[in-house]
Amino acid sequence: MPRATGVAGELTGALPLVSLAALLCGCALARRSPAPEPGRESPLNSAQASRFADSVLQLMTLDEKLGQLTQSPGRGTQTGPRVPEGGEQQIRAGRVGSFLGIFGAEYTRELQRIATQESRLKIPLLFANDVIHGFRTIYPVPIAEAASFDPERVTLSARGAAVEAAAHGLHWTFAPMVDIARDPRWGRIVEGAGEDPYLGAIMAAAQVRGFQGGDGAIGLGEPDVLMATAKHFAAYGGAEGGRDYNSVELTERTLWETYLPPYEAAVEAGAATVMASFNDIGGIPAHSSDWLLDDVLRQRWGFKGLVVSDWGGIGEMVPHGVAATTGAAGILALRAGVDVDMSDGIYADSLAAAVRAGRLEKAFVDSSVHRLLRLKYALGLFQDPYRFNDVARERRFTLAPEHLRAARIAAREGIVLLKNANKTLPLRKDVRTIAVIGPLADDARSALGSWAADGRSDEAVSVLAGIRASVGQSGRVIYARGAPVDTADTTGFALARSAASRADAIILVLGERENMSAEAASRASIELPGAQLALARSVIRAARASAGGSRKPIIAVLMNGRALAIPELVAETPAVLETWFLGTQHGGAVVDVLFGDYNPSGKLPVTFPRATGQIPIYYNHRNTGRPPDSANSYTSKYLDLPWTPLFPFGYGLSYTTFAYSNLRLSPRSIGGRDSLEVTVDVRNAGDRAGDEVVQVYVRDDVASVAQPVRALKAFRRVTLGPGEMQSVAFKLGPDSFALYDRQMRRVVEPGTFTIYVGTDSNAQLNSRFEFTGDTLVLAPPTPRFH
Ligand code: BGC
């Protein structure tokens, strides 16, 4: 067995990581994401690793190679996740290269020992898991993290998750999910950054950087870093009708303009792995798409890492109807570029025979194994297979106080204030009695959100628990569940009404359970489920009747994993907070906002429609030849609903207000690769400090291909004290003005552009500049779909 101690040692020297120390102190250093040193080899592309992989490959039998490409799922037991029946024997025989869903420093050490001492080639194992928004300390679900519009914070959450998960023996996470979703019926919208390609790309890179300890995969090899997986490649979020696993019908143009940018950003940030998606695009399942996996991913974007199948995704090519047998599906997948077979066991079961019979070229197997070995080498596992197996570390980082603190900050930032009539919020801290009503108020499991890894409900703070902890004295909080989440049962209404009548403030906690979004959790209607709207109405009536002439504060706290269509609730409730699923610290963060210890600053990363029937509705649509006009029937609109959304993308209120003025563009005309400077004055016009997310949108006024009415191209979170004013400046380079032209080249075309700046995607403050001279070609035509 070749050893590479010296070489691996050099590779994993003192790297300029987003360091743990920086994470813990939250200091300025942590907010800088280091770029790879110039000239430094990416671990994904290392010649040393490559030579090492060559030498190992020569020693392997075909069965051992296919074993390496096999990822086997663990099974849950009373004492934690374990290998499936006969798993140890599989390891000894070299029939498995990685496990999914198995963790624990001590247990994975034992499995690593078997692999590196009792198997013929002694190749270490990889342990993977879905560490989506935390491992044991759970951070906000990704859609809530996106609502923070704070990429540095998102990096820190992913960093914290990696530190905790790696201490439990894990090397690899199946995150970030970077699928753009314009359809909130699709349950998995909760796992991503929403509808916008620019925000999606920023958040994708931020997460990769956090999991991997910096840009360009430079952190790989440190024992507190996870390999990231950009998933699900590609356009899984485009599922027709919002129905999970469904086919995707998109034009190539929309793919390139809207769906592909976040994957590309993740690859650029150095994501070590990519996961193929379940869906087909135009009849080609992603697991068999050499266009996606080779032409786009490896050739166009230069991806050097590993592609993993999604769970069962190889075998599903049989029901897709492109393979007659699972064996044929395996051949299609490997040829297309799926390196690792997650859970199917098809590569191990049938590809050796296919190679021997000449139905599959051995070179495909070798390339995939080579890529896998390179990564194992980059992680330093050949040097020391136990570097992720330190029990003391595991203890130290599990629910570490600094992680919990970071999770609370992240949770606060994800909250979006949707309505605050008559300054209902913040609540006075001396309010005497608070009624906490609603089916989600006491639901700590939902607070965690879906994909909560090893997160535990008894370690999470529900809204009720958060309020109780903050209010202190018993007797001041009256709790009534009122109604179940999603059935028509109204028997709890009477108690809820009575609580509302007795209380001085009413908090209604409504929405969806955590398992009503994420995988296999699409909804045909995105209104409030069950009898919750009726409950809210009934409680509001009781509260008003009991208040006499005065006004009792009534606040709806929403918990959900998607945009909801809630016009009636919003019309009838004076204050509405969108809190998504905020993780372990949900309740504490909500309390911070309710009582004004934190001024809400989140912004919607998805458009909220008025009704399910408006879907798809997104802010960056094209103008059409007949844009909606209330004075003209023959324009693009509905008879029975306005065309506008309930809340636009980028929307979110604060306890203060921000005034925008004095938008300046400089210079007024640019050409070639020049940049445009956009500056705007933002003033806190209220009496409380607050954060504002300043947003910049661009419209290409006339182009060879119709462009969105506006598209987000920059944003920045600024903190302003009462009365404070700041000039906020942005530099926009050619990419901000680029489009795919009729030949699918990425170009900037001469002409005028309008820049809009403001607090959400309806921003009206605008100014124009001109791009002059010749068309600037930024990239050649995209490879044609096949
Ligand atoms: C999901 C993936 C996930 C995988 C492993 C699949 O069903 O689609 O997102 O990473 O399971 O748990």
Side-chain angles (χ1 to χ4, degrees):
M1 179 76 232
R3 306 290 295 181
T5 313
V7 172
E10 279 160 35
L11 256 182
T12 58
L15 297 174
L17 293 182
V18 177
S19 75
L20 188 57
L23 166 71
L24 303 188
C25 70
C27 59
L29 180 61
R31 301 207 148 237
R32 221 181 306 131
S33 67
E37 288 162 24
R40 184 186 187 92
E41 222 175 24
S42 158
L44 299 181
N45 201 15
S46 138
Q48 294 284 5
S50 187
R51 276 198 295 278
F52 180 78
D54 286 339
S55 63
V56 179
L57 203 56
Q58 280 174 21
L59 307 174
M60 299 175 78
T61 65
L62 182 56
D63 285 330
E64 282 166 336
K65 289 175 186 171
L66 295 169
Q68 278 304 306
L69 302 183
T70 298
Q71 181 166 100
S72 178
R75 66 190 160 99
T77 73
Q78 295 285 4
T79 46
R82 293 291 178 262
V83 292
E85 211 57 44
E88 285 91 351
Q89 197 36 46
Q90 294 286 91
I91 300 172
R92 276 184 203 101
R95 293 193 184 282
V96 56
S98 56
F99 283 99
L100 150 66
I102 291 180
F103 46 81
E106 205 174 332
Y107 182 58
T108 54
R109 167 183 283 268
E110 171 54 14
L111 299 179
Q112 206 64 297
R113 189 196 62 74
I114 298 174
T116 57
Q117 293 186 15
E118 299 181 12
S119 74
R120 189 180 82 87
L121 288 176
K122 305 183 171 31
I123 299 176
L125 294 163
L126 284 178
F127 295 100
N129 198 38
D130 291 282
V131 180
I132 308 296
H133 53 113
F135 177 70
R136 179 82 168 262
T137 306
I138 304 300
Y139 298 81
V141 290
I143 198 170
E145 291 236 292
S148 74
F149 278 66
D150 186 349
E152 287 88 0
R153 177 55 50 193
V154 170
T155 295
L156 289 179
S157 298
R159 189 79 215 92
V163 167
E164 207 183 39
H168 286 253
L170 288 167
H171 309 118
W172 184 3
T173 177
F174 298 130
M177 190 200 92
V178 304
D179 302 322
I180 292 298
R182 288 172 158 182
D183 189 334
R185 290 173 298 182
W186 190 56
R188 304 200 74 167
I189 194 169
V190 66
E191 298 173 51
E195 74 187 36
D196 181 61
Y198 178 77
L199 179 65
I202 296 281
M203 291 302 169
Q207 289 175 82
V208 169
R209 217 172 268 146
F211 288 128
Q212 298 195 161
D215 272 314
I218 57 163
L220 295 190
E222 290 296 308
D224 61 359
V225 159
L226 295 178
M227 293 194 294
T229 305
K231 72 184 188 185
H232 308 82
F233 193 56
Y236 184 29
E240 280 193 310
R243 194 153 52 81
D244 208 359
Y245 315 119
N246 206 3
S247 292
V248 170
E249 278 300 333
L250 288 173
T251 61
E252 268 180 87
R253 170 171 304 286
T254 303
L255 260 175
W256 283 96
E257 284 174 353
T258 303
Y259 286 83
L260 294 183
Y263 307 105
E264 184 177 9
V267 168
E268 243 174 52
T273 80
V274 164
M275 186 186 289
S277 58
F278 288 130
N279 56 284
D280 71 273
I281 302 179
I284 318 261
H287 282 74
S288 66
S289 174
D290 49 347
W291 177 72
L292 274 176
L293 300 178
D294 196 47
D295 298 7
V296 176
L297 182 64
R298 295 194 186 281
Q299 309 303 329
R300 174 98 172 182
W301 295 344
F303 176 66
K304 298 282 184 252
L306 194 75
V307 174
V308 60
S309 69
D310 200 352
W311 182 290
I314 299 175
E316 285 169 22
M317 286 195 282
V318 174
H320 267 296
V322 298
T325 62
T326 53
I331 295 175
L332 279 178
L334 192 75
R335 277 219 180 105
V338 176
D339 300 310
V340 169
D341 169 350
M342 178 201 285
S343 86
D344 264 321
I346 292 173
Y347 284 5
D349 288 347
S350 55
L351 291 193
V355 170
R356 288 187 190 113
R359 280 181 285 116
L360 173 66
E361 303 74 357
K362 189 171 132 292
F364 285 111
V365 178
D366 287 351
S367 311
S368 291
V369 177
H370 198 267
R371 292 196 268 262
L372 179 71
L373 292 173
R374 276 192 339 237
L375 283 186
K376 289 189 172 183
Y377 181 88
L379 292 182
L381 293 173
F382 283 102
Q383 189 192 3
D384 173 8
Y386 306 120
R387 53 211 318 264
F388 290 72
N389 301 98
D390 177 343
V391 174
R393 250 181 101 75
E394 183 179 59
R395 224 175 292 122
R396 159 73 182 85
F397 288 113
T398 303
L399 289 176
E402 60 273 18
H403 289 174
L404 291 171
R405 268 199 302 278
R408 179 133 168 191
I409 298 172
R412 290 164 155 191
E413 285 195 3
I415 297 174
V416 185
L417 177 62
L418 296 178
K419 179 179 177 187
N420 195 19
N422 308 312
K423 296 201 171 173
T424 303
L425 284 172
L427 286 174
R428 292 168 56 116
K429 287 191 177 165
D430 60 359
V431 58
R432 262 181 308 153
T433 316
I434 304 173
V436 181
I437 297 170
L440 291 157
D442 197 22
D443 186 346
R445 176 64 195 90
S446 284
L448 288 178
S450 52
W451 293 107
D454 200 29
R456 300 175 187 186
S457 314
D458 58 353
E459 293 163 354
V461 184
S462 68
V463 174
L464 179 63
I467 292 175
R468 281 198 172 129
S470 124
V471 165
Q473 279 159 269
S474 62
R476 282 182 63 194
V477 178
I478 320 171
Y479 165 60
R481 182 159 170 266
V485 172
D486 54 355
T487 66
D489 182 2
T490 57
T491 49
F493 280 26
L495 276 180
R497 273 198 305 268
S498 139
S501 315
R502 282 179 290 142
D504 301 300
I506 292 101
I507 296 169
L508 279 159
V509 190
L510 307 172
E512 303 173 320
R513 270 189 321 275
E514 58 81 23
N515 62 2
M516 295 173 74
S517 56
E519 187 172 353
S522 293
R523 295 180 62 208
S525 138
I526 62 162
E527 278 74 35
L528 262 188
Q532 294 188 75
L533 180 59
L535 171 69
R537 285 186 166 137
S538 167
V539 163
I540 291 169
R541 262 199 312 276
R544 296 226 162 105
S546 65
S550 64
R551 207 185 262 140
K552 285 186 185 181
I554 306 172
I555 300 110
V557 171
L558 293 168
M559 292 173 66
N560 45 275
R562 53 163 59 79
L564 293 177
I566 43 168
E568 299 88 352
L569 181 78
V570 170
E572 292 172 32
T573 316
V576 183
L577 279 178
E578 174 57 78
T579 73
W580 322 99
F581 305 120
L582 297 171
T584 309
Q585 299 282 44
H586 187 106
V590 170
V591 164
D592 292 339
V593 168
L594 286 175
F595 291 103
D597 292 322
Y598 181 78
N599 186 354
S601 56
K603 301 281 186 175
L604 293 179
V606 284
T607 303
F608 271 44
R610 296 171 190 273
T612 303
Q614 281 185 319
I615 298 169
I617 180 168
Y618 44 89
Y619 84 96
N620 49 352
H621 56 83
R622 298 189 193 106
N623 202 34
T624 81
R626 296 195 186 188
D629 173 356
S630 48
N632 183 350
S633 303
Y634 288 89
T635 58
S636 180
K637 55 193 191 182
Y638 298 109
L639 289 177
D640 51 352
L641 266 187
W643 67 85
T644 53
L646 182 60
F647 297 113
F649 173 86
Y651 172 87
L653 303 173
S654 161
Y655 294 156
T656 186
T657 49
F658 297 97
Y660 285 74
S661 61
N662 197 14
L663 173 61
R664 292 89 91 188
L665 305 185
S666 164
R668 306 296 309 201
S669 109
I670 63 172
R673 290 182 180 265
D674 297 347
S675 292
L676 177 79
E677 189 157 299
V678 176
T679 311
V680 68
D681 295 345
V682 185
R683 191 169 60 85
N684 181 342
D687 53 6
R688 215 179 238 277
D691 278 12
E692 166 70 331
V693 177
V694 181
Q695 302 166 39
V696 180
Y697 295 86
V698 173
R699 178 177 188 149
D700 189 339
D701 298 322
V702 179
S704 59
V705 176
Q707 291 301 296
V709 290
R710 59 177 65 189
L712 183 70
K713 293 299 175 186
F715 60 84
R716 177 139 359 106
R717 195 177 246 274
V718 295
T719 304
L720 295 174
E724 193 185 341
M725 196 277 280
Q726 202 177 304
S727 294
V728 184
F730 301 86
K731 227 183 183 60
L732 301 189
D735 205 52
S736 303
F737 313 118
L739 67 131
Y740 289 99
D741 69 4
R742 292 187 184 210
Q743 290 85 53
M744 290 302 285
R745 297 177 309 170
R746 189 128 180 96
V747 300
V748 183
E749 294 177 344
T752 63
F753 292 77
T754 308
I755 305 284
Y756 298 87
V757 179
T759 191
D760 61 37
S761 60
N762 273 346
Q764 293 306 311
L765 187 62
N766 70 80
S767 185
R768 239 179 218 177
F769 79 97
E770 190 167 6
F771 184 85
T772 54
D774 296 335
T775 296
L776 172 68
V777 180
L778 297 174
T782 58
R784 294 323 297 258
F785 177 78
H786 60 91

